[in-house]
Amino acid sequence: GNCLRRQDPIGPEFYVPLGAAEKISDAAFYLAAALSIIVLLVEKASQPKLYGAVQATFAVAVVGFFVSGIVIRTYFATRAHSSRFADFVSNAFSVPLVPSPSEGYYNTPAGDPFIRMGASVLENTLFTKSILARMLRFERARICVYVLAWLWAAVYRATDLELLAVAAQVLFSEQLLSRWVRMEWLRARVERLYDDLFALIQSSSDARSKEFRARVIEALIRYETSKAQAALSLSSRLFNKLNPELSARWQSVCTQLGIAPATDPAA
């Protein structure tokens, strides 16, 4: 069929734990956000035990969110991205830099390693920009709801100012508005990189020239640094859902560029 088979040991070993850690961090964030509002509604004088319990739980949730964020960035995300990059280079130069290289994850042509590298980055940008576009449907709707609700509360005179301040902290946190902005930025940057790399491969007459190789390396650096700066994880659910469609699109792109994607004979 059109769906290219993929065997990816890097994902289960490194990205599944990263996803689990991110879910725990999100849970800690939303728990802290909810408790920060609840604590304003509990009367300290009339319900001192409940107030103390909420305060203590809120403190634990804040510390948990803080610690999980540091652990994710310095351990889970770092080792996952490093392993993926090593696997990428292994595929481009046919040198096993990881114990279990992926098979069929990069559907690139055989031959010159820089052509393989350029094709791999192009394939990655195709998948990344497409998955981000789908993820942004939900993010945009969620941000619109939150912003409208906060603006309504801001102009409604009966709204408690402390409650409004807490809601603002939640809305403008790294988990909501900042995440949406970073997602929009990464999508735009990857789309631009896709167009530039497509034009490079299409117009290049000598893939062994120094200029072609330099621009391929520059494209790889732009892609990796953009992902690192955005600090976002793509949805594995959307990846699996869109894989057949995007694999077919990638085959079409390869035909346009005159490069033959790697295929699984058993597919």
Side-chain angles (χ1 to χ4, degrees):
N2 289 331
C3 178
L4 299 178
R5 288 188 177 181
R6 296 172 183 263
Q7 182 177 346
D8 177 30
I10 303 298
E13 185 174 355
F14 298 102
Y15 279 89
V16 169
L18 172 60
E22 288 177 333
K23 289 180 180 178
I24 293 174
S25 182
D26 289 342
F29 167 76
Y30 285 110
L31 177 60
L35 291 172
S36 67
I37 296 175
I38 293 173
V39 75
L40 299 176
L41 306 177
V42 178
E43 287 289 340
K44 182 178 181 180
S46 60
Q47 297 177 300
K49 291 185 178 180
L50 178 59
Y51 181 84
V54 172
Q55 282 280 33
T57 308
F58 172 65
V60 170
V62 170
V63 172
F65 174 65
F66 174 75
V67 172
S68 63
I70 292 178
V71 172
I72 286 172
R73 294 196 176 191
T74 59
Y75 177 68
F76 287 104
T78 300
R79 72 170 191 157
H81 299 327
S82 297
S83 298
R84 177 64 74 203
F85 184 73
D87 186 56
F88 176 92
V89 176
S90 297
N91 171 77
F93 291 93
S94 299
V95 177
L97 299 180
V98 291
S100 302
S102 61
E103 297 179 7
Y105 187 84
Y106 300 103
N107 302 284
T108 54
D112 185 86
F114 287 91
I115 296 179
R116 291 171 61 86
M117 182 183 295
S120 293
V121 177
L122 186 65
E123 182 187 14
N124 283 350
T125 55
L126 172 64
F127 274 76
T128 299
K129 73 185 185 73
S130 301
I131 293 172
L132 281 172
R134 290 294 293 272
M135 291 173 65
L136 277 166
R137 294 181 183 179
F138 171 75
E139 290 295 328
R140 288 167 181 162
R142 181 171 70 161
I143 290 299
C144 284
V145 171
Y146 284 150
V147 169
L148 290 175
W150 184 81
L151 289 175
W152 179 87
V155 299
Y156 184 57
R157 294 184 179 181
T159 303
D160 186 275
L161 291 181
E162 289 185 349
L163 185 60
L164 186 63
V166 170
Q169 291 177 3
V170 174
L171 175 62
F172 292 98
S173 68
E174 186 175 336
Q175 298 296 105
L176 294 180
L177 199 59
S178 174
R179 171 183 168 83
W180 167 66
V181 171
R182 287 183 284 118
M183 196 176 292
E184 293 280 7
W185 175 83
L186 182 60
R187 179 197 57 80
R189 191 165 174 84
V190 171
E191 283 186 350
R192 175 66 182 273
L193 178 57
Y194 174 84
D195 293 338
D196 291 345
L197 196 53
F198 184 94
L200 171 65
I201 297 176
Q202 186 179 50
S203 62
S204 178
S205 57
D206 185 8
R208 297 186 178 183
S209 67
K210 291 183 178 180
E211 179 182 359
F212 178 82
R213 294 185 173 187
R215 293 185 66 182
V216 166
I217 294 175
E218 188 266 344
L220 173 60
I221 294 173
R222 281 172 59 190
Y223 179 67
E224 293 297 329
T225 54
S226 297
K227 290 196 304 177
Q229 290 172 5
L232 294 168
S233 295
L234 299 182
S235 169
S236 57
R237 179 185 63 81
L238 284 176
F239 172 84
N240 293 326
K241 180 179 180 180
L242 297 176
N243 183 37
E245 175 189 344
L246 294 178
S247 295
R249 284 176 58 186
W250 171 241
Q251 290 180 317
S252 176
V253 168
C254 288
T255 300
Q256 287 181 271
L257 296 176
I259 57 177
T263 56
D264 187 347

